[in-house]
Amino acid sequence: MSLLKSKLLAKVLTVLAGGVLAQLIAFIAIPFVTRIYEPYAFGIFANITQTAAFLVPLISLCLPLIIVLLPFEKEVKPFMRTAIRLNVFITILLLLLSSILWAFGQSDVFIIAVLSVLFAFSIAVQELFMFLYIREGYFALRAKLLIVQAILIAVMKLWFGFSISNDYYSLVLASIIGYTLLNCFCFYSLKLNQADMKLNRFTHRIKRHKDIVKYRVPLNIIDNLSLLLPILFLTYFSNPAAAGLFALARTVLVMPGNIIGKSLADVLLPKFVALHKTQQPLNSVLIKYTSYLFLIGLIPVIIFLSFSESIFSLIFSEKWTDAALFANWLIIWVFVNVVNKPYSSVIPIFKVEKLYFINGLLNLILTVLALYIAYINELSAVDSIMLFSIVTTIPQLVVIALGYLKARTYDSSNLGKHQNV
């Protein structure tokens, strides 16, 4: 059993290491990228990347998750090939819809829409391959591919910025090419061109897992729309440069937060599951870890707030100094997001995913409300993000409250059995 656990841990660490290293490479490249590209270009690029993230669930329909659940190995590659065809079909439909913008004379917006759709398609296809590698146990290969792709994209962003243009399309082109190269390698190395599946068999497999499409797609769309709206608001009601400053601030803060949060979730969830299975008290452990995270995280937050302008000016160059004004408010959101990880990790144990979905809707509603208030009151870009950051912290506090109440209720029902714990 210990050997089995060690092998499982090694696989988990390999998957995690690949993603973390890829993000670290992208993070390390940012100071070099910001010295080539202007905030305006970065703002348009942020519009495209976030719009692409919003479109990915529409194109993929969360089919990558179904690949892991297919019962027969012989169906995997044929399912993959048909899924890619479906991705292509949906992408063509979205491109045709985008042509409406051209017809109404919105050529600039049309170009951004087209690039967003193509970027979303490349991401959606890559998700299929990455989940296939997880199913097949190719964890090391998956990690290596993600790392190589991160290096390629970082190098191309710098190269295109010097040799082609330091405008947004160089950033987008580098990203799309990076994803496309990896997708082509995966497609031919897996020999998907030799696999095929009848359409009725394909739809039958989807129907067996229709809940994934039914619930995951709208949830992913809601989450990504909540992230997209501030970028769109700043771009069209302030200016793209403000969107670029905001995007850099969010990237700099959220990327390390995501890495830390993912690591914490991977470590804490098994611990909480073990406590739950043995009917041990949970709430005291949750409070302890939350308190640790609060105290540990408070120190870098105070340091950052004290020197944020100097940090952005020194690392990213003086033209990005104003990004610190956005970061000073966004760091509150990131801080609470990291602190609530113990409670968000315990949510699946109590099977309250529906409430989690409702909380996602609450986050979207509050985002729209905050940006609407900022619009009607003609708030500045920084004040708008201040309001957005404060308001969207509420759903994260709701997660803490929900986890606390569920854990306390659970402890109360088991307290008599474990008074000495």
Side-chain angles (χ1 to χ4, degrees):
M1 183 64 71
S2 60
L3 179 62
L4 181 62
K5 287 183 178 179
S6 64
K7 288 182 178 179
L8 179 61
L9 178 61
K11 291 176 180 178
V12 172
L13 290 175
T14 302
V15 173
L16 182 61
V20 169
L21 284 174
Q23 289 190 60
L24 282 176
I25 291 167
F27 187 76
I28 292 170
I30 292 175
F32 301 97
V33 172
T34 54
R35 279 169 168 77
I36 299 174
Y37 298 92
E38 297 294 323
Y40 173 87
F42 210 79
I44 301 298
F45 177 63
N47 272 270
I48 293 171
T49 54
Q50 203 58 64
T51 302
F54 167 73
L55 293 174
V56 166
L58 291 174
I59 294 176
S60 72
L61 300 177
C62 292
L63 296 182
L65 287 172
I66 297 178
I67 289 175
V68 182
L69 303 174
L70 290 174
F72 305 113
E73 189 66 30
K74 64 181 181 180
E75 289 185 342
V76 175
K77 290 183 180 180
F79 184 92
M80 278 276 298
R81 182 177 170 87
T82 308
I84 292 173
R85 287 175 173 173
L86 179 60
N87 289 175
V88 171
F89 176 74
I90 297 173
T91 299
I92 292 172
L93 288 180
L94 291 174
L95 290 173
L96 290 174
L97 287 173
S98 301
S99 65
I100 296 174
L101 295 169
W102 181 274
F104 281 92
Q106 300 293 324
S107 56
D108 291 341
V109 182
F110 167 75
I111 293 172
I112 292 174
V114 169
L115 291 173
S116 299
V117 172
L118 294 176
F119 195 9
F121 170 74
S122 63
I123 296 171
V125 173
Q126 181 172 298
E127 286 186 354
L128 286 167
F129 290 121
M130 293 302 103
F131 273 86
L132 176 60
Y133 285 144
I134 289 174
R135 176 192 171 97
E136 300 296 328
Y138 301 149
F139 301 108
L141 176 59
R142 179 181 181 273
K144 291 175 183 176
L145 288 174
L146 289 175
I147 293 169
V148 170
Q149 178 184 252
I151 295 172
L152 279 173
I153 292 176
V155 171
M156 284 190 291
K157 283 180 179 179
L158 300 175
W159 177 28
F160 291 172
F162 280 118
S163 61
I164 300 177
S165 171
N166 62 348
D167 209 343
Y168 71 89
Y169 47 79
S170 291
L171 292 166
V172 181
L173 185 63
S175 301
I176 293 177
I177 290 175
Y179 276 87
T180 302
L181 288 174
L182 185 141
N183 290 339
C184 291
F185 170 82
C186 294
F187 185 86
Y188 288 104
S189 64
L190 292 169
K191 298 180 180 179
L192 291 188
N193 55 321
Q194 300 177 13
D196 211 345
M197 174 180 272
K198 292 183 178 179
L199 185 59
N200 60 347
R201 189 67 179 171
F202 179 76
T203 54
H204 173 71
R205 286 302 174 203
I206 294 178
K207 287 178 181 178
R208 288 196 60 180
H209 303 285
K210 61 182 179 181
D211 284 351
I212 291 177
V213 178
K214 185 177 179 181
Y215 294 110
R216 289 293 184 114
V217 171
L219 179 59
N220 289 345
I221 290 173
I222 288 171
D223 289 343
N224 286 305
L225 182 58
S226 298
L227 296 173
L228 172 62
L229 288 176
I231 294 286
L232 293 178
F233 177 85
L234 291 176
T235 300
Y236 296 102
F237 295 108
S238 183
N239 57 76
L245 294 169
F246 167 76
L248 176 67
R250 188 165 70 179
T251 301
V252 168
L253 295 175
V254 170
M255 192 176 290
N258 285 342
I259 293 173
I260 295 170
K262 174 64 176 174
S263 302
L264 285 171
D266 289 339
V267 172
L268 292 176
L269 182 57
K271 180 178 180 64
F272 294 146
V273 170
L275 290 173
H276 184 259
K277 284 183 178 180
T278 56
Q279 295 186 330
Q280 298 293 315
L282 282 171
N283 209 34
S284 59
V285 181
L286 287 165
I287 292 173
K288 180 178 73 173
Y289 281 106
T290 302
S291 301
Y292 286 163
L293 286 172
F294 181 86
L295 294 174
I296 294 171
L298 197 59
I299 298 172
V301 167
I302 293 173
I303 295 173
F304 181 85
L305 289 174
S306 302
F307 303 102
S308 58
E309 291 190 16
S310 299
I311 291 172
F312 274 88
S313 177
L314 178 64
I315 297 177
F316 303 106
S317 80
E318 290 185 2
K319 62 187 175 184
W320 295 94
T321 303
D322 287 344
L325 301 176
F326 296 101
N328 289 340
W329 290 107
L330 286 172
I331 198 170
I332 298 173
W333 183 90
V334 174
F335 175 65
V336 177
N337 188 45
V338 173
V339 168
N340 80 356
K341 285 304 174 186
Y343 283 101
S344 62
S345 295
V346 85
I347 292 294
I349 297 175
F350 297 114
K351 298 180 179 180
V352 288
E353 287 86 356
K354 185 177 180 180
L355 293 176
Y356 209 45
F357 175 77
I358 294 173
N359 194 56
L361 282 175
L362 172 64
N363 185 62
L364 177 60
I365 292 169
L366 290 175
T367 298
V368 173
L369 181 62
L371 297 178
Y372 176 71
I373 292 173
Y375 171 71
I376 62 175
N377 287 282
E378 298 182 351
L379 298 182
S380 67
V382 174
D383 289 341
S384 299
I385 295 306
M386 174 190 70
L387 180 61
F388 161 78
S389 300
I390 294 172
V391 168
T392 53
T393 300
I394 295 173
Q396 299 186 67
L397 297 176
V398 170
V399 169
I400 295 176
L402 177 63
Y404 173 80
L405 292 173
K406 284 290 182 181
R408 192 178 69 170
T409 302
Y410 170 80
D411 285 359
S412 298
S413 64
N414 291 278
L415 189 59
K417 301 177 184 179
H418 304 280
Q419 291 182 348
N420 298 322
V421 176

